[in-house]
Amino acid sequence: MNLFTPAEFTDNYANAGVKKASLPVSNMLLLGMLAGFLIAMGGATASTASHAIANAGLAKMVSGLLFPFGLAMVILTGAELFTGNVLINISVFEGKTGFGSMLRNWIFVYIGNFCGALLVAAGIAFLGCLNLSGGGFAVSAMKAAAAKCSLSFGAAVGLGFFCNVLVTIGVLISLGAKDAIGRFIGAYMPVAFFVICGFEHSIANMYYVPAGIFAASDPAYRALAVKAGVNLSVLDWGSFLAGNLLPVTLGNILGGLAVSFIFWYCCGKK
C-alpha cells in the first residue's frame, strides 16, 4: 500500500517530534519564520482573491480553496509551524522527549512564526497591495481584523480548538502518505474545512489582524473603513494580543492536545 496505517504515522510523528524538540534555537526561529511567511502568504492570497466577492459563502469557498496551499508548502518544505507542533505531545506521552523540550520548541517556533507572518502583513500593507479595488482590499482587511478582535474570549478559544483539531489531523494524514501528492492532499482538505467554517488559527491571525491594523494607520484607508461602517475601535495591538491571539492560541493548543491524546491512546505504542 502507498499509505501508512494510523499506528504507523502516529509512531512516525512520535519520532519526528523528538527531532523537532531537539533542533537548535536558530533552526527553530528560521524555520518558524519560513512557516509564518508561508501561512501568511496563503492568507494574503485568499483575501486578495475573495475581498470583492459579495456572497459570503462564495468568498469563504474561494478562501478555503486557496489558503491550504500555505500549510501544504510548510509540510513539504519541512518548515516549523506552532499549531502543527502541538502534536509533539505524542512524543511526550510516549516518553521520547520531555515537556520542557516541547515547550522550548513551541516558544521559539511561535516567535519565528510571528516574525514571518508580520513581514508579509507589513509588505501587503505598505507596498501598495491594499490599493486594490480603489482601497476596497484595505477595507476588507480592516473588516476581517476587526471581526477577529471583536470575538469574546470563550468564542475565540472554541474556534481555535476546532481549527487545530483539523490542522493537526491534516498534519497526521499527510504523514500517512508515502508520496508528495498524497502528503499535499492530506494536508489540504482539513485546512480547507477550517477556513470555510471560519475557525481561528493563531498563526494566520498573525497576518490577518496586523494587516488590518497597518491598513488602519493610513488616513485614506481609515476614512473608507469608517464610511463602510467598520468598527475601528477594536483595531489596536492590545486588543489583538489579549483579545484574540491569546485565546485563539489557547484553543489551538487544546485542539492539538486532544488529537495528540486520541492518536497516542488509540494507536501509540505506550
Side-chain angles (χ1 to χ4, degrees):
M1 293 180 64
N2 199 34
L3 292 170
F4 291 108
T5 66
E8 288 173 331
F9 66 61
T10 299
D11 186 55
N12 289 344
Y13 196 93
N15 295 325
V18 176
K19 295 178 181 178
K20 287 176 175 290
S22 60
L23 284 172
V25 170
S26 59
N27 289 35
M28 292 181 189
L29 289 171
L30 289 173
L31 292 173
M33 287 182 67
L34 176 59
F37 182 91
L38 293 174
I39 292 296
M41 277 297 178
T45 301
S47 55
T48 301
S50 65
H51 80 276
I53 300 175
N55 184 291
L58 181 58
K60 284 182 174 292
M61 179 66 74
V62 170
S63 294
L65 291 174
L66 293 173
F67 181 89
F69 284 98
L71 180 63
M73 287 190 290
V74 167
I75 289 173
L76 294 177
T77 60
E80 291 287 308
L81 182 65
F82 166 77
T83 47
N85 285 9
V86 176
L87 287 170
I88 297 175
N89 275 297
I90 295 174
S91 308
V92 175
F93 293 150
E94 288 281 356
K96 294 183 176 182
T97 193
F99 178 81
S101 297
M102 177 183 71
L103 192 61
R104 169 177 169 270
N105 176 277
W106 287 3
I107 290 171
F108 289 110
V109 167
Y110 193 86
I111 292 170
N113 290 168
F114 205 154
C115 292
L118 203 61
L119 177 63
V120 176
I124 293 294
F126 299 125
L127 296 179
C129 298
L130 294 178
N131 290 332
L132 189 63
S133 302
F137 187 17
V139 174
S140 176
M142 288 181 278
K143 183 178 180 180
K148 290 179 178 294
C149 290
S150 298
L151 290 170
S152 69
F153 194 94
V157 171
L159 292 171
F161 174 89
F162 283 120
C163 170
N164 217 32
V165 167
L166 289 169
V167 170
T168 49
I169 286 177
V171 171
L172 289 175
I173 292 175
S174 75
L175 292 178
K178 297 181 180 180
D179 56 48
I181 294 177
R183 297 195 69 194
F184 174 87
I185 294 173
Y188 184 94
M189 294 307 299
V191 176
F193 289 176
F194 102 65
V195 175
I196 293 170
C197 290
F199 299 148
E200 293 285 307
H201 187 266
S202 57
I203 311 307
N205 287 1
M206 292 174 182
Y207 160 74
Y208 284 116
V209 181
I213 293 173
F214 291 148
S217 68
D218 185 302
Y221 293 153
R222 193 176 184 90
L224 289 173
V226 171
K227 187 176 180 180
V230 179
N231 179 17
L232 297 178
S233 65
V234 296
L235 272 189
D236 59 72
W237 292 103
S239 297
F240 168 46
L241 296 174
N244 178 269
L245 192 60
L246 174 61
V248 170
T249 300
L250 290 174
N252 288 167
I253 291 173
L254 292 173
L257 179 61
V259 171
S260 300
F261 178 79
I262 289 170
F263 277 89
W264 167 75
Y265 186 82
C266 297
C267 305
K269 291 182 178 179
K270 294 183 285 298

